[in-house]
Amino acid sequence: AVLIPHKLRKQHFTGSKVSSYRNFIINQEREAAFYANPENIVMKDSSYAKPDEFWQSNRHDSLTQHDQNVYIISDSIPKVPLFKFYLNVVKGYNSWGVVDFGPYFTSYSFNAWEGNRFKLSARTNTKFHKNFGLDAYTAYGTVDESVKYGIKANYYFKRIPRSLLSVGFRDDVEQFGLVPGVFKDDNIITSALRRTNVRSYNRVHELNMFFEKDWFNGFGNKFQFKYRELAPLGDLVYDTETGFGQLVNVNKITTVEFSLHTRFAYCERFVGGNFQRVSLGTQYPIVDVHFYWSVKDFLSGDYAYQKLVLSVKDRVKLSILGTFRYRVEAGKIWGKAPYPILELHSGNQSYLLNDNVFNTMNFFEFVSDQYASAAISQHFEGLLFNKIPLIRKLNWREVVSAKALVGNLSNS
């Protein structure tokens, strides 16, 4: 990799890769199954910790002086204090021995119920254990004057293919109708860019256990058990109807839920560290199937219901027209369940754009027990703007998108 000076004082980063092969086997036919699937190269964890003597004896060719200088630079840069500072800012964590403190951007946030929320989070790193990790946090709100906390333990039996056992408990406040996105709710950026203050929160006591297993590259399951106690806060109220048509207030509801998540993503690739990974996607459609089963009277569970959710998403290359993306989803709930358990279709009351929600809809606008939704977007990748002289220098890109949702709520 080389940094090239630019006349406008900008730095351009270029990279090069050289692959060397030997020990070829020619004119030796293999069975048909050998050619059925693409080659999937798996790097062993030990391959990143080989001594210099190993590479000197196994490298196909000797390093040039330029290549040796790259090694010197890559070894010296992490020791520069300024680089360490920027790296901590980007990661959001600061390492102290076996513990990483962070992420920084959740240390302070604010909302209508808690007021100013101060949070201290920490996690163990590989210096503590290479396969076992702990995450913990505690938070305090200046208005509700209440302490919240959470702790989670993860154990990785194997990273490739992934095999993970996780157990966690948390006592915190939660807003319904949120889905995972770029930012969490307890985030200073999310708080600052919130358009309206929502006062409909829940106090949540949750025990969450799951086992995640990738059977092979592109196919995996997640077996999960979740116990939740939900108590309404703020403007949120839980009422139930008696046999005489009267409404009676409920202080809390309890759910005990088992679930199975099946994911099929052929040739999906990941990038990540020791305990986390991020999907790079695949050129094929990704299919997710979620099945939930709640048991009444088991561990004081209040409701019995079943829920099935099926989703398919993909990115399709259209040559010069760019990339077409779509996501379709359908779900149905059987049984009797209160509205916090039903499908609360996610809105957005912030100035941040979230591809996973309906950005022009507010929270709690729609709820259903059977639904179908679709989201499409066409990324033209400069097809038009790159041909306009002045606009071209801004590096703007054209995106056209649309979302649709249809659902209903049964009388049961």
Side-chain angles (χ1 to χ4, degrees):
V2 182
L3 283 174
I4 303 176
H6 193 267
K7 63 181 180 179
L8 296 181
R9 294 186 178 180
K10 293 182 179 179
Q11 295 293 330
H12 285 207
F13 179 83
T14 63
S16 62
K17 177 184 177 181
V18 178
S19 299
S20 177
Y21 301 91
R22 63 184 178 187
N23 299 328
F24 290 96
I25 299 177
I26 302 175
N27 296 331
Q28 181 176 335
E29 187 176 358
R30 302 292 295 267
E31 62 278 5
F34 178 81
Y35 304 98
N37 296 314
E39 183 181 13
N40 181 29
I41 300 176
V42 178
M43 298 287 291
K44 293 183 178 179
D45 294 338
S46 58
S47 62
Y48 296 98
K50 297 294 185 182
D52 294 339
E53 294 77 11
F54 172 85
W55 297 113
Q56 291 175 3
S57 59
N58 288 274
R59 188 177 284 112
H60 294 185
D61 194 4
S62 59
L63 293 176
T64 64
Q65 184 61 45
H66 177 269
D67 295 334
Q68 295 178 28
N69 292 337
V70 171
Y71 274 90
I72 296 174
I73 295 175
S74 62
D75 291 338
S76 59
I77 285 180
K79 301 176 183 178
V80 178
L82 185 60
F83 177 82
K84 288 183 177 180
F85 173 77
Y86 283 129
L87 185 61
N88 287 334
V89 171
V90 172
K91 292 194 305 180
Y93 290 87
N94 192 7
S95 299
W96 290 63
V98 300
V99 178
D100 298 337
F101 290 94
Y104 305 137
F105 44 80
T106 63
S107 299
Y108 172 75
S109 60
F110 56 89
N111 58 67
W113 177 254
E114 295 178 278
N116 298 304
R117 175 184 169 103
F118 299 93
K119 182 179 179 182
L120 176 64
S121 307
R123 68 183 185 185
T124 59
N125 51 44
T126 53
K127 295 179 181 178
F128 175 76
H129 198 282
K130 68 176 184 177
N131 293 326
F132 179 72
L134 288 171
D135 289 85
Y137 74 88
T138 183
Y140 179 79
T142 58
V143 173
D144 66 346
E145 298 181 344
S146 176
V147 176
K148 300 90 180 174
Y149 66 93
I151 185 170
K152 181 174 66 174
N154 297 323
Y155 186 82
Y156 290 80
F157 298 96
K158 198 174 182 181
R159 285 183 171 80
I160 303 177
R162 189 183 183 96
S163 181
L164 164 66
L165 177 65
S166 178
V167 179
F169 178 81
R170 67 185 180 105
D171 177 6
D172 208 336
V173 296
E174 179 182 86
Q175 178 188 330
F176 281 149
L178 296 178
V179 296
V182 179
F183 299 109
K184 297 182 179 179
D185 189 44
D186 60 340
N187 180 295
I188 181 58
I189 300 178
T190 305
S191 299
L193 296 178
R194 188 181 291 122
R195 291 189 287 111
T196 56
N197 288 323
V198 179
R199 290 188 53 83
S200 300
Y201 283 85
N202 291 275
R203 187 74 185 209
V204 180
H205 296 80
E206 178 182 281
L207 173 64
N208 186 11
M209 300 184 294
F210 68 84
F211 175 71
E212 186 175 353
K213 173 69 175 179
D214 288 347
W215 303 103
F216 54 84
N217 181 33
F219 183 78
N221 287 118
K222 183 177 180 180
F223 307 90
Q224 188 171 30
F225 167 81
K226 186 180 290 186
Y227 173 92
R228 284 164 61 92
E229 292 181 359
L230 306 175
L233 300 174
D235 297 335
L236 200 61
V237 177
Y238 291 167
D239 289 332
T240 185
E241 186 176 0
T242 65
F244 301 98
Q246 297 178 338
L247 294 179
V248 178
N249 183 259
V250 178
N251 294 326
K252 72 172 183 178
I253 61 176
T254 302
T255 61
V256 179
E257 189 177 82
F258 299 88
S259 65
L260 171 63
H261 173 206
T262 301
R263 179 179 177 86
F264 181 71
Y266 186 62
C267 295
E268 185 176 23
R269 297 176 299 166
F270 294 92
V271 63
N274 294 297
F275 296 119
Q276 295 178 335
R277 68 178 184 179
V278 177
S279 174
L280 297 178
T282 172
Q283 60 180 330
Y284 302 98
I286 298 176
V287 180
D288 288 278
V289 181
H290 298 261
F291 178 73
Y292 305 87
W293 177 46
S294 180
V295 184
K296 186 177 181 179
D297 297 328
F298 178 66
L299 297 179
S300 302
D302 295 329
Y303 300 94
Y305 60 87
Q306 301 81 42
K307 180 179 180 181
L308 179 65
V309 179
L310 170 65
S311 66
V312 180
K313 64 180 180 180
D314 193 14
R315 293 180 296 180
V316 182
K317 294 289 186 180
L318 299 178
S319 187
I320 62 173
L321 296 179
T323 303
F324 175 72
R325 301 181 183 182
Y326 71 86
R327 175 185 171 86
V328 294
E329 180 177 307
K332 182 174 177 59
I333 299 175
W334 295 269
K336 198 169 185 178
Y339 76 88
I341 309 301
L342 300 178
E343 189 66 29
L344 291 168
H345 300 290
S346 299
N348 189 356
Q349 292 180 222
S350 75
Y351 296 104
L352 294 172
L353 184 68
N354 191 331
D355 288 339
N356 299 319
V357 305
F358 294 90
N359 291 283
T360 58
M361 186 175 74
N362 292 327
F363 297 123
F364 307 108
E365 279 199 48
F366 295 99
V367 61
S368 66
D369 59 6
Q370 53 185 356
Y371 69 95
S373 65
I376 60 174
S377 63
Q378 176 64 41
H379 298 249
F380 291 98
E381 301 175 359
L383 177 65
L384 174 63
F385 288 166
N386 281 350
K387 295 175 173 61
I388 304 176
L390 296 179
I391 299 296
R392 180 173 55 203
K393 293 185 178 181
L394 299 176
N395 290 324
W396 286 359
R397 294 294 181 264
E398 317 90 331
V399 179
V400 178
S401 63
K403 296 179 181 178
L405 168 69
V406 59
N408 59 31
L409 188 61
S410 61
N411 294 328
S412 61

